[in-house]
Structures are given as C-alpha cells and as structure tokens.
Amino acid sequence: GERYKSLKSVDKILKYALFSGLGRDDVFVGFGGGVVLDMAGFASSIYMRGISLIFVPTTLLAMVDASIGGKTAVDFAQYKNIVGTFYPASEVYICENHLQTLPLSEYVCGFAEMLKISLINRPSLYRKIAINLRAIMERRCTFFMDMIKEAVEGKLEIVNVDPFEKSARAYLNLGHTFAHALESLLDFNGISHGYAVAWGISRALSLGVLLKITRLSYAQEVLSILSKI
C-alpha cells in the first residue's frame, strides 16, 4: 500500500541487501504492484550506485505503467513521488494469469492507466476499450493481452523519445496533477492511485472544456467510460 512507499521501507531493503552480502553482480527483482516496483527500482538504483533490476508486475496498473519507463520513487514530506531516480529495469515479465487473482478494485485501478495511455497516443486501443468495455470489465476479453501490449508500446513510444521527462513525457501525467493533489490531501491513505487517476482525468477533461481546448462531446464520451469502470 501507498503508506509503505517511504524512505523507511527503502532503508529496510538496503540493509537486507547489504547484510545478505549482495554485490554488484547480483540482481534486485521487484515482484508485485506499483508500490513494490517503485521501491525496488529506487533501492536498486542507489545500492552500490546501481545493480541489475528485473520487474515482474502482478497488477494491471504495474503492467501498463509502473514497470515501464524507469521512474522510481517514494513519497516524502506529504509529496508523492518527490524522491526518486530514472532507472529502467533491464527485463520486465508480464503474465496475464496474474490478472485473474486481482480483486475488482485493483483491476479497475490499472484500467484507468490503460485508458489514459489510449487517450494520449493509442486511438485504436481507445476504440477497443469503448467497444468491448463490458467484456473487459467482466474479465472475459479474449484479446486483453494484446491490449496490454498496445498500452505498453504506447508508453514506450513517448518514454524512448523523452526518457527524463524534459518535454513530451509530461503527456503521461494526464490526470496526475489532480490525482496527486487528492492523494496528498488524504495523506496517501484512503484512495488508491488508479481511482485518483480516474478522477484526475475527469477533472482534466472538465478543465479542458472550460478552457475551450477540449470538445464537450469528447469529454462526455470519456467521462461515460470512466463512470462505467
């Protein structure tokens, strides 16, 4: 959970690695959801100035977002992800079977990030989501792994152009300015990141309409999808 995403947790990881005798030729494996991957990645990036890193994401959010792109971080002084590094994993293993073990709330969290990527640069993925929404939410979509692959490719397309978030990568923060504010307000407890992002996207769309840079019909269409998930 988000409340464990702290320097205190990273301190435990580093001490365990050191006292276990891990060296530069060893490897950190992040196995779990976004919080685990963010902390494992951060610890790996600073232990002995960086050792090998492998990710095995077990949640949908981690598969399409946290495991891709090399952002590592922990929360600090009421600010989300304010302490971290850019340190991509050398390998990422995505297993669709993990999705069947997730409670619906976790599944929905990841789906918000998948929708976000589709809005940014994968219109074909957006159409698949809109057309197959009911089957997707009931977890009986036969081509869901293809959708995950498309979401990953959509994120990588931007990350590869701007790995350190100097320009285009900022697009991937769609909805996140609002989301992070909400999470911080709630002291990182009481709302999951995916739900906050879904709400943040809805706020970004509403702001776009107010500023007359987002078509009302488009905003209403996306908001309809958000409300159903």
Side-chain angles (χ1 to χ4, degrees), residues 134-206:
R134 184 170 180 178
I136 291 168
M137 295 311 298
E138 293 175 358
R139 284 187 263 195
R140 53 181 179 81
C141 179
T142 57
F143 49 87
F144 199 68
M145 195 63 181
D146 292 333
M147 294 176 66
I148 291 174
K149 185 171 182 287
E150 196 168 350
V152 168
E153 288 171 347
K155 181 169 183 178
L156 280 175
E157 186 176 287
I158 293 174
V159 169
N160 289 339
V161 171
D162 180 25
F164 300 112
E165 201 172 73
K166 301 295 185 182
S167 55
R169 187 166 178 166
Y171 287 124
L172 293 172
N173 291 328
L174 173 62
H176 282 61
T177 302
F178 290 104
H180 290 173
L182 179 61
E183 289 173 289
S184 180
L185 185 68
L186 296 174
D187 198 23
F188 305 114
N189 189 22
I191 188 168
S192 62
H193 180 63
Y195 277 89
V197 168
W199 176 80
I201 292 172
S202 76
R203 297 301 85 213
L205 287 165
S206 296

Side-chain angles (χ1 to χ4, degrees), residues 24 40 49 72 86 128 134 143 192 203-204 227 229:
R24 277 192 164 173
R49 296 189 178 89
T72 81
F86 289 96
K128 287 175 187 173
R134 184 170 180 178
F143 49 87
S192 62
R203 297 301 85 213
S227 70
I229 65 172

Side-chain angles (χ1 to χ4, degrees), residues 44-58:
S44 177
S45 73
I46 60 177
Y47 185 73
M48 294 190 172
R49 296 189 178 89
I51 68 171
S52 295
L53 175 65
I54 293 173
F55 280 156
V56 185
T58 59

Side-chain angles (χ1 to χ4, degrees):
E2 193 75 24
R3 67 185 181 278
Y4 291 105
K5 194 175 172 181
S6 66
L7 288 173
K8 184 178 179 180
S9 294
V10 172
D11 181 70
K12 288 183 180 179
I13 296 171
L14 295 174
K15 283 178 179 174
Y16 190 88
L18 183 62
F19 298 149
S20 297
L22 266 67
R24 277 192 164 173
D25 56 346
D26 286 307
V27 59
F28 275 31
V29 179
F31 187 102
V35 170
V36 171
L37 301 192
D38 278 5
M39 289 196 299
F42 182 46
S44 177
S45 73
I46 60 177
Y47 185 73
M48 294 190 172
R49 296 189 178 89
I51 68 171
S52 295
L53 175 65
I54 293 173
F55 280 156
V56 185
T58 59
T59 66
L60 181 56
L61 190 150
M63 290 175 187
V64 301
D65 189 52
S67 66
I68 308 299
K71 274 188 175 180
T72 81
V74 293
D75 304 332
F76 182 74
Q78 293 302 111
Y79 289 91
K80 186 174 172 70
N81 295 337
I82 202 68
V83 175
T85 58
F86 289 96
Y87 197 74
S90 58
E91 299 173 57
V92 179
Y93 294 93
I94 295 176
C95 178
E96 188 179 13
N97 291 346
H98 284 136
L99 298 177
Q100 300 304 322
T101 70
L102 296 178
L104 181 60
S105 58
E106 279 295 329
Y107 182 72
V108 168
C109 281
F111 198 69
E113 288 283 4
M114 179 180 277
L115 177 64
K116 178 203 76 175
I117 295 168
S118 79
L119 295 173
I120 295 168
N121 69 348
R122 280 297 181 272
S124 60
L125 177 59
Y126 176 73
R127 287 192 294 271
K128 287 175 187 173
I129 290 171
I131 294 169
N132 301 283
L133 187 58
R134 184 170 180 178
I136 291 168
M137 295 311 298
E138 293 175 358
R139 284 187 263 195
R140 53 181 179 81
C141 179
T142 57
F143 49 87
F144 199 68
M145 195 63 181
D146 292 333
M147 294 176 66
I148 291 174
K149 185 171 182 287
E150 196 168 350
V152 168
E153 288 171 347
K155 181 169 183 178
L156 280 175
E157 186 176 287
I158 293 174
V159 169
N160 289 339
V161 171
D162 180 25
F164 300 112
E165 201 172 73
K166 301 295 185 182
S167 55
R169 187 166 178 166
Y171 287 124
L172 293 172
N173 291 328
L174 173 62
H176 282 61
T177 302
F178 290 104
H180 290 173
L182 179 61
E183 289 173 289
S184 180
L185 185 68
L186 296 174
D187 198 23
F188 305 114
N189 189 22
I191 188 168
S192 62
H193 180 63
Y195 277 89
V197 168
W199 176 80
I201 292 172
S202 76
R203 297 301 85 213
L205 287 165
S206 296
L207 179 59
V209 171
L210 286 172
L211 294 174
K212 302 187 187 311
I213 58 174
T214 304
R215 292 194 321 274
L216 177 61
S217 60
Y218 176 73
Q220 289 174 332
E221 183 180 287
V222 179
L223 287 169
S224 175
I225 293 174
L226 283 168
S227 70
K228 289 172 183 173
I229 65 172

